[in-house]
Amino acid sequence: MTGPIILVGHSFGGVNMQRYALTYPEHIAALVLVDSAHEDQITKMPQASFLQKYLFKFGMWAAPFGIPRLYLSDANPEEKAKKVQPNINIPV
């Protein structure tokens, strides 16, 4: 690769692009961050409780079987709308 490059980073990739740009500024023409995470985000976020960690691990295990979608579908208005069958009586 020759010449300066344009780095684009989204979410956690934004943190990676910032680190690269700070390490090799002579290689960078521009840095574009799209909805990037902040470099201190991990240290400033509150720690997850044991229950949150357990639920996340359970969700990862259960996802291939559709269990989280089944549970969360009742909370999603779009999913509720799909379940409602219109009661249309058309006289023949």
Side-chain angles (χ1 to χ4, degrees):
M1 190 166 29
T2 61
I5 59 174
I6 299 172
L7 294 177
V8 180
H10 173 258
S11 191
F12 184 70
V15 175
N16 295 328
M17 296 303 108
Q18 290 176 61
R19 299 263 173 146
Y20 186 90
L22 289 171
T23 305
Y24 306 104
E26 66 278 4
H27 298 155
I28 309 303
L31 176 63
V32 180
L33 301 175
V34 182
D35 197 20
S36 176
H38 190 273
E39 59 190 18
D40 294 332
Q41 181 173 342
I42 300 297
T43 59
K44 293 188 178 196
M45 290 183 65
Q47 292 294 321
S49 69
F50 175 77
L51 179 61
Q52 289 170 325
K53 290 179 185 177
Y54 177 78
L55 289 174
F56 179 75
K57 287 182 181 180
F58 174 76
M60 294 297 290
W61 173 85
F65 304 103
I67 295 171
R69 181 177 171 84
L70 179 66
Y71 173 74
L72 296 173
S73 66
D74 287 335
N76 184 343
E78 291 179 12
E79 293 294 328
K80 283 184 179 179
K82 290 178 187 176
K83 292 179 181 177
V84 175
Q85 298 295 323
N87 188 7
I88 300 174
N89 294 322
I90 302 174
V92 182

